[in-house]
């Protein structure tokens, strides 16, 4: 397996082989990430490609002193996926606006004790809109306010989806035991 530092050095020199190695190395995890936002494989791949283009273009901005490369790349691709969601003029979100006064209690993370593969299986059973919100909240650590801004929905709607995900996941978890 090629050393990540060598691959990144090649990417900085704009070497296509190094870019392809980097893309292929992280494709599975980026596919899983983008699948939380899109159902259509074409849209998933488009989000990955948009994100990786930003990674290649802005590679000089990555600072190893601030954190791991994977985290920087993951965040870049996630943000590209969110941008694609916002920019799609024909995108219809399955969000029903909810009253801001709706009760919401942020309990513990239902995914905390699970392996990544298990999380992926459980998340795939949620409706797409609820999956997007849950992924951003539980897996990526976004706040309710940040999710509302990123998806252009109200905070009450975000809270409803988090509540809905906990209810549905409880049923799913009980069935799997």
């Amino acid at each position: 397996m090629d050393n990540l530092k060598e691959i990144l050095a090649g990417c900085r020199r704009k070497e296509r082989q190094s870019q392809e190695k980097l893309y292929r190395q992280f494709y599975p995890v980026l596919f899983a990430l983008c699948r939380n936002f899109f159902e259509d494989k074409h849209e998933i791949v488009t989000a990955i490609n948009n994100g990786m283009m930003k990674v290649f273009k802005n590679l000089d901005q990555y600072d190893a002193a601030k954190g791991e490369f994977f985290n920087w790349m993951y965040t870049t691709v996630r943000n590209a996926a969110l941008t694609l969601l916002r920019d799609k003029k024909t995108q219809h979100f399955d969000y029903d606006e909810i009253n801001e006064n709706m009760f919401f209690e942020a309990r513990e993370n239902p995914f905390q004790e699970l392996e990544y593969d298990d999380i992926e299986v459980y998340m795939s059973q949620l409706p797409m809109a609820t999956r997007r919100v849950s992924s951003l909240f539980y897996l990526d650590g976004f706040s309710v306010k940040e999710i509302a801004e990123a998806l252009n929905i109200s905070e009450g709607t975000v809270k409803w989806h988090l509540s809905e995900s906990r209810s549905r996941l409880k049923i799913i978890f009980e069935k799997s035991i």
Side-chain angles (χ1 to χ4, degrees), residues 102 126-127 130 134 158-170:
M102 182 188 153
L126 295 174
T130 302
S134 296
V158 172
K159 292 174 184 178
W160 180 87
H161 280 287
L162 291 173
S163 178
E164 180 70 8
S165 70
R166 278 193 306 279
S167 298
R168 287 179 181 247
L169 287 170
K170 182 179 178 186

Side-chain angles (χ1 to χ4, degrees), residues 100-113:
E100 288 291 331
N101 299 324
M102 182 188 153
F103 177 74
F104 171 72
E105 182 179 328
R107 299 183 193 143
E108 69 278 346
N109 186 338
F111 300 112
Q112 204 164 21
E113 304 296 322

Side-chain angles (χ1 to χ4, degrees), residues 130-143:
T130 302
R131 185 184 329 160
R132 288 176 185 148
V133 172
S134 296
S135 175
L136 289 170
F137 187 80
Y138 293 118
L139 304 180
D140 294 326
F142 276 46
S143 70

Side-chain angles (χ1 to χ4, degrees), residues 42-97:
H42 176 73
E43 291 176 329
I44 294 169
V45 173
T46 299
I48 294 169
N49 291 344
N50 290 352
M52 288 304 291
M53 290 301 291
K54 288 182 181 186
V55 167
F56 296 138
K57 182 178 178 182
N58 300 311
L59 195 55
D60 291 332
Q61 294 178 9
Y62 165 65
D63 183 2
K66 292 183 180 178
E68 295 291 322
F69 172 76
F70 174 79
N71 295 336
W72 178 80
M73 179 192 62
Y74 186 92
T75 301
T76 302
V77 173
R78 182 193 61 216
N79 290 342
L82 289 172
T83 299
L84 184 62
L85 274 175
R86 279 192 302 265
D87 290 347
K88 286 185 62 159
K89 301 210 184 324
T90 60
Q91 175 72 32
H92 171 69
F93 291 102
D94 298 329
Y95 301 118
D96 294 322
E97 289 298 321

Side-chain angles (χ1 to χ4, degrees), residues 7-24:
I7 293 172
L8 292 177
C11 289
R12 284 187 178 96
R13 292 188 301 268
K14 311 273 192 251
E15 294 174 0
R16 296 286 185 216
Q17 285 184 322
S18 295
Q19 292 173 337
E20 182 179 355
K21 286 178 185 176
L22 185 69
Y23 184 94
R24 288 183 185 274

Side-chain angles (χ1 to χ4, degrees), residues 31 34 37-46 88 128:
F31 188 91
C34 293
F37 301 106
F38 304 100
E39 290 181 294
D40 181 64
K41 185 175 180 182
H42 176 73
E43 291 176 329
I44 294 169
V45 173
T46 299
K88 286 185 62 159
M128 180 52 71

